[in-house]
Amino acid sequence: MSYRVVIPRSIPFGESNRVQQAVWKRGYSTRIAGRDAALPDRVVVEFLRVVDELPEPGDVPGLEQDLERLLSGSRINAPFQGSGGWVETVQNRPARKRTA
């Protein structure tokens, strides 16, 4: 079984594609959670990192800080808002057989 660390951040709608492409190159997956209810010109992007072992409670804030350094660094330089994160379990399923 694997675990997915989910770190949601609110970023400007116009920056979302650029930011997502930049973090994909650095090992994160993303999924769009929807518009930010408090700021309609922003979108909530969930940044995902899959790990093999259940992270310790103190590891999630460390991953958050790594992501925030990445987002605020000179290469991406994305304005973001938000804090927090959580862990989800991921079922490892065998690959589906395709029929021709």
Side-chain angles (χ1 to χ4, degrees):
M1 184 177 302
S2 297
Y3 301 91
R4 181 184 304 126
V5 179
V6 182
I7 305 169
R9 293 295 180 265
S10 175
I11 58 176
F13 186 77
E15 297 279 319
S16 65
N17 285 341
R18 180 185 67 81
V19 170
Q20 289 182 78
Q21 289 175 357
V23 298
W24 291 337
K25 295 175 186 175
R26 289 159 182 84
Y28 285 89
S29 301
T30 59
R31 66 183 176 203
I32 302 293
R35 294 269 181 165
D36 190 331
L39 301 165
D41 62 332
R42 298 174 78 87
V43 64
V44 176
V45 178
E46 294 179 341
F47 297 92
L48 313 170
R49 177 63 64 101
V50 176
V51 294
D52 292 328
E53 294 181 15
L54 181 64
E56 294 294 323
D59 293 344
V60 175
L63 289 170
E64 285 182 60
Q65 291 172 355
D66 290 343
L67 175 67
E68 289 173 356
R69 276 195 295 275
L70 179 64
L71 291 175
S72 61
S74 61
R75 288 197 169 171
I76 299 177
N77 193 20
F80 63 90
Q81 292 181 337
S83 63
W86 62 86
V87 177
E88 299 174 344
T89 57
V90 179
Q91 289 276 332
N92 293 332
R93 291 186 236 162
R96 291 183 183 174
K97 291 184 180 180
R98 291 190 159 192
T99 57

